[in-house]
Amino acid sequence: MLFDSHAHLNSEKYANDLDEVVKRIEEASLSYVMDVGFDLESSVLAVGHAQKYPWCYAAVGCHPHDAKSMDENTMTMFKGLAKKPKVMAIGEIGLDYFYDRSEREEQRYWFRRQIQLALELKLPIIIHDRDAHGDVLSILKEEGAFATKVLMHCYSGSKEQAEQYVKLGATLSVAGPVTFKNAHKLVEVVQAISIEHLLVETDAPYLTPEPFRGKRNEPVFVKYTAEKLAEIKGILYEEVATKTAENAKRFFGIE
Ligand code: NI
């Protein structure tokens, strides 16, 4: 069993060959893929994929990059989408102070609103945090987000902060960068945090792990991240695959 807890099959990067990507997922017996929305259109696509493929589930939400596209109307549409079958989370939402593609004030406002939506609908949230560690944590606390399940997607913070998140009840998801040569900080995180609190993901089409770094990423490559976790923790690959998949199923509430 293997669960890619974060991919964007809804990305335009798969517009021309999604069937091939799907075929490779099915041939590799990748058990589950969470297709994660980043704006309204991609969230609609994710919900469609979840309806079409038995192994696919969806998260709906607006990425901080696209905060500038948000308004009340769109928020209402997200709420409708979130109630559809196989929609298991609100995400990805959060703050991105690295690219700053939307005004920070706007990012923070729609981040809060989407946390509130998740709490209202009792859905888990998937967090994007790039160079905004302080503000993400204070907003999560202020909004009482830890009353629902919180997933720190593509975790990139320090070991100390990882431990703090786990104490608050959050789950951390590890992506392809853990396979990179300069991944010292992330390796420390994986060493320090019990496997019970970890998931694996691709964030495909981005963040392709070694040995395919530089190519377009896709969900089947999640196994390289799981292999790296096994190596770092000194346990069997099968154990990492099974445990992280069980964690993901429990996190998202998949039977
Ligand atoms: Ni993503």
Side-chain angles (χ1 to χ4, degrees):
M1 191 161 63
L2 190 55
F3 195 139
D4 181 359
S5 67
H6 191 113
H8 302 287
L9 293 173
N10 48 10
S11 162
E12 60 181 13
K13 299 248 164 48
Y14 300 117
N16 295 323
D17 66 342
L18 184 62
D19 286 350
E20 294 297 312
V21 173
V22 161
K23 205 171 141 204
R24 286 192 284 275
I25 290 171
E26 290 173 351
E27 282 171 0
S29 19
L30 188 54
S31 316
Y32 302 95
V33 176
M34 182 60 61
D35 197 3
V36 181
F38 46 89
D39 61 6
L40 185 62
E41 200 186 332
S42 61
S43 297
V44 170
L45 282 175
V47 173
H49 292 154
Q51 278 163 5
K52 187 167 175 190
Y53 307 115
W55 40 265
C56 187
Y57 288 82
V60 300
C62 184
H63 191 285
H65 285 348
D66 295 290
K68 55 179 178 292
S69 74
M70 285 297 288
D71 53 31
E72 285 306 321
N73 233 345
T74 316
M75 198 64 202
T76 309
M77 315 250 289
F78 274 121
K79 189 172 178 178
L81 279 177
K83 292 177 178 168
K84 301 248 184 201
K86 294 182 84 185
V87 176
M88 311 313 275
I90 298 294
E92 57 183 289
I93 61 174
L95 302 174
D96 194 313
Y97 292 173
F98 181 77
Y99 287 109
D100 279 320
R101 290 203 193 141
S102 290
E103 294 290 332
R104 291 185 180 183
E105 194 63 37
E106 239 171 353
Q107 292 189 37
R108 289 189 287 263
Y109 178 78
W110 292 108
F111 181 33
R112 287 183 190 273
R113 289 293 309 277
Q114 293 182 94
I115 294 170
Q116 292 157 7
L117 176 66
L119 290 169
E120 183 192 332
L121 300 177
K122 298 193 167 52
L123 284 173
I125 50 179
I126 303 173
I127 305 294
H128 172 103
D129 169 5
R130 184 98 192 255
D131 288 1
H133 302 325
D135 276 6
V136 165
L137 184 56
S138 18
I139 289 177
L140 287 171
K141 283 182 172 166
E142 284 164 27
E143 295 298 331
F146 295 100
T148 188
K149 291 182 219 160
V150 175
L151 178 60
M152 303 308 294
H153 134 70
C154 188
Y155 184 76
S156 63
S158 66
K159 183 186 96 170
E160 289 70 26
Q161 189 154 45
E163 287 166 338
Q164 194 182 1
Y165 269 117
V166 165
K167 269 200 198 117
L168 288 164
T171 299
L172 312 180
S173 176
V174 181
V178 75
T179 67
F180 300 169
K181 269 205 188 77
N182 60 355
H184 311 296
K185 210 167 103 181
L186 195 47
V187 167
E188 261 184 37
V189 169
V190 171
Q191 282 166 340
I193 303 298
S194 154
I195 189 87
E196 306 305 325
H197 306 293
L198 298 178
L199 308 186
V200 288
E201 64 165 283
T202 56
D203 202 17
Y206 316 106
L207 301 176
T208 314
E210 296 289 2
F212 296 112
R213 191 175 181 180
K215 273 188 60 178
R216 182 187 69 176
N217 201 0
E218 56 179 274
V220 291
F221 294 163
V222 74
K223 76 166 187 201
Y224 297 106
T225 297
E227 275 172 2
K228 189 68 188 186
L229 256 60
E231 184 194 316
I232 295 168
K233 288 199 159 296
I235 55 180
L236 290 175
Y237 165 79
E238 287 73 17
E239 190 180 343
V240 172
T242 307
K243 285 228 167 111
T244 54
E246 281 169 358
N247 296 346
K249 286 180 73 176
R250 199 169 53 242
F251 181 87
F252 292 116
I254 294 169
E255 297 293 315

